[in-house]
Amino acid sequence: MSHYLKMGLQTYSILKSFGFAFKGLKSALNERNFRLHVFSACSIIALGFYCKITASEWLVVLICIGLVMSMELMNTAIEKIVDIVSPQFNEKAGKIKDIAAAAVLIVSIVSLIIAFIIFLPYLY
């Protein structure tokens, strides 16, 4: 197989992977909680522009947004897997879902505290 053909196949494979990722993102947008996180992220970004936060503050804000949204995606994936593996009520399956939701809660609370630390001085 020629070098150029290999490169072409690798590029196709990478593009295909991005396609799957965007398909997953589109699917996540059907989830109420993910849409809430997207709305919150857009609101915080708008507030960042309004307050003219520093580059360092932007880095922290964007990392928090990425963490919360990624954690929500992982939580959704875990919930879907648990629903497939255990479609009927199962106490252990419920605990797994609760733990995954708690991970989102922790990252969200820490991000909210960070948002207060960054934005309150600008607002007062």
Side-chain angles (χ1 to χ4, degrees):
M1 186 179 303
S2 80
H3 173 71
Y4 293 109
L5 182 57
K6 278 185 179 178
M7 285 178 50
L9 290 175
Q10 289 173 342
T11 302
Y12 173 75
S13 177
I14 290 169
L15 291 176
K16 199 170 173 184
S17 295
F18 275 106
F20 292 137
F22 282 110
K23 185 177 175 184
L25 191 56
K26 183 179 175 184
S27 177
L29 287 168
N30 292 321
E31 300 290 327
R32 181 197 65 201
N33 288 349
F34 190 74
R35 287 194 312 268
L36 176 64
H37 290 300
V38 169
F39 174 78
S40 298
C42 291
S43 300
I44 288 294
I45 289 169
L47 185 60
F49 282 117
Y50 176 78
C51 293
K52 297 182 175 112
I53 62 176
T54 68
S56 298
E57 291 167 334
W58 272 116
L59 291 173
V60 174
V61 166
L62 293 174
I63 288 169
C64 287
I65 289 170
L67 285 172
V68 170
M69 295 179 87
S70 296
M71 192 61 69
E72 183 60 43
L73 290 170
M74 292 303 298
N75 178 50
T76 300
I78 289 168
E79 286 181 354
K80 302 250 183 241
I81 290 169
V82 169
D83 288 344
I84 290 169
V85 172
S86 182
Q88 68 286 354
F89 176 78
N90 180 316
E91 188 175 332
K92 288 182 181 178
K95 284 185 181 185
I96 291 168
K97 288 180 168 186
D98 292 345
I99 292 167
V104 178
L105 180 64
I106 289 170
V107 173
S108 297
I109 289 171
V110 170
S111 294
L112 184 62
I113 292 167
I114 290 170
F116 282 132
I117 292 168
I118 291 174
F119 289 106
L120 282 181
Y122 288 101
L123 299 174
Y124 287 106

